[in-house]
Amino acid sequence: MKKILIVEDERNFARFMELELMHQGYAVTVVGSGQEGLETATRDAWDAILLDAMLPGLHGFEVCRGIRRAGFATPVIMLTARDSIMDRVSGLDSGADDYLPKPFAIEELLARIRAVIRRSKRGSGAAQAALAYRDLRIDPVAGTVSKAGMVLELTKREYELLLVLMNHRDRVLSRDMLLDLVWGHDCEVETNVVDVYVRYLRNKIDDPAQRSYIQTVRGIGYVIRS
């Protein structure tokens, strides 16, 4: 039985999700504050976490960052009433795997849960060898990126985007392909989110005097060329 943690302070809404998920055969735990959510998320193993953005105490983005800082890769779906592009970027940048604005149909939530759990299982397969390009090195086992021997501080999404581009070196990937490979085809974000994250990555890995590691192919997408 798969275990789902719901971190939601609206009791009626939390109870509604709890009952629906239990009806689908999930084991469900509900907590109502950010601090309790962070403690519960990092104390036990979960198959997925449903995390409200607006919580008393710690807000959801901080909870998600805390989960990632603690080393947990548990799939997180951020739930929020806010639906602007920057809200979505903030949620994903904090380490969330998906972002679902309220109100939503329970069928869509169930589909999102199945999708993030599937992606999580795919990511837990055989260990991948380290990847190197120029002075960049990615260690997929440790989940780290280093440049000239110095470890870089990347968010979960920045790391995943760079890993995909490195794994597909010399192949131009469209924004739609990158959305599918990094965010998953079930995640409803606009393609300009890819541009935002490429800019974030360039700010962290590029040297102003050198050619960018990630090349833009106008009208198509991005590529790392050997």
Side-chain angles (χ1 to χ4, degrees):
M1 183 178 292
K2 291 182 172 57
K3 295 171 58 181
I4 307 293
L5 173 63
I6 298 175
V7 188
E8 170 64 67
D9 64 319
E10 296 180 27
R11 292 185 179 181
N12 291 338
F13 185 59
R15 181 59 174 164
F16 165 72
M17 289 191 291
E18 179 184 18
L19 291 174
E20 291 289 344
L21 291 173
M22 289 173 63
H23 181 69
Q24 295 295 320
Y26 292 105
V28 183
T29 298
V30 179
V31 298
S33 71
Q35 186 60 47
E36 189 180 6
L38 178 56
E39 292 171 358
T40 308
T42 55
R43 185 174 59 236
D44 299 311
W46 304 95
D47 292 286
I49 298 172
L50 308 181
L51 178 59
D52 184 39
M54 303 300 292
L55 291 165
L58 288 177
H59 61 68
F61 299 151
E62 275 300 317
V63 173
C64 192
R65 279 191 283 268
I67 293 169
R68 299 308 182 216
R69 282 195 298 266
F72 289 84
T74 311
V76 174
I77 300 176
M78 192 74 71
L79 309 176
T80 176
R82 301 185 300 182
D83 193 25
S84 72
I85 184 65
M86 288 315 299
D87 288 332
R88 293 189 180 207
V89 168
S90 296
L92 296 170
D93 200 29
S94 68
D97 297 85
D98 204 347
Y99 185 104
L100 189 57
K102 301 174 184 177
F104 50 79
I106 191 64
E107 291 80 9
E108 182 176 8
L109 175 62
L110 293 171
R112 299 291 186 97
I113 292 171
R114 292 193 295 269
V116 296
I117 291 176
R118 282 199 306 271
R119 292 200 297 271
S120 176
K121 286 183 176 179
R122 287 203 300 267
S124 61
Q128 181 182 342
L131 301 170
Y133 171 63
R134 285 161 56 181
D135 57 352
L136 279 182
R137 177 182 172 85
I138 299 181
D139 184 345
V141 176
T144 59
V145 177
S146 58
K147 180 178 179 180
M150 298 292 292
V151 175
L152 303 177
E153 292 294 329
L154 302 185
T155 67
K156 179 175 181 287
R157 199 67 63 180
E158 290 164 354
Y159 169 82
E160 290 172 346
L161 177 59
L162 183 60
L163 182 61
V164 165
L165 287 166
M166 290 277 276
N167 272 321
H168 294 81
R169 198 184 311 174
D170 295 316
R171 178 183 175 187
V172 178
L173 299 177
S174 69
R175 291 169 177 83
D176 285 328
M177 292 172 67
L178 288 169
L179 277 179
D180 189 15
L181 291 169
V182 178
W183 282 265
H185 68 277
D186 298 295
C187 186
E188 292 184 3
V189 295
E190 302 296 328
T191 54
N192 58 357
V193 169
V194 174
D195 301 324
V196 171
Y197 276 86
V198 168
R199 185 169 70 249
Y200 289 165
L201 264 178
R202 283 172 170 164
N203 288 338
K204 293 184 177 182
I205 67 176
D206 281 355
D207 292 314
Q210 297 184 4
R211 179 171 58 92
S212 176
Y213 292 89
I214 304 171
Q215 299 295 301
T216 301
V217 181
R218 293 189 180 277
I220 302 177
Y222 298 99
V223 61
I224 290 179
R225 299 194 189 278
S226 298

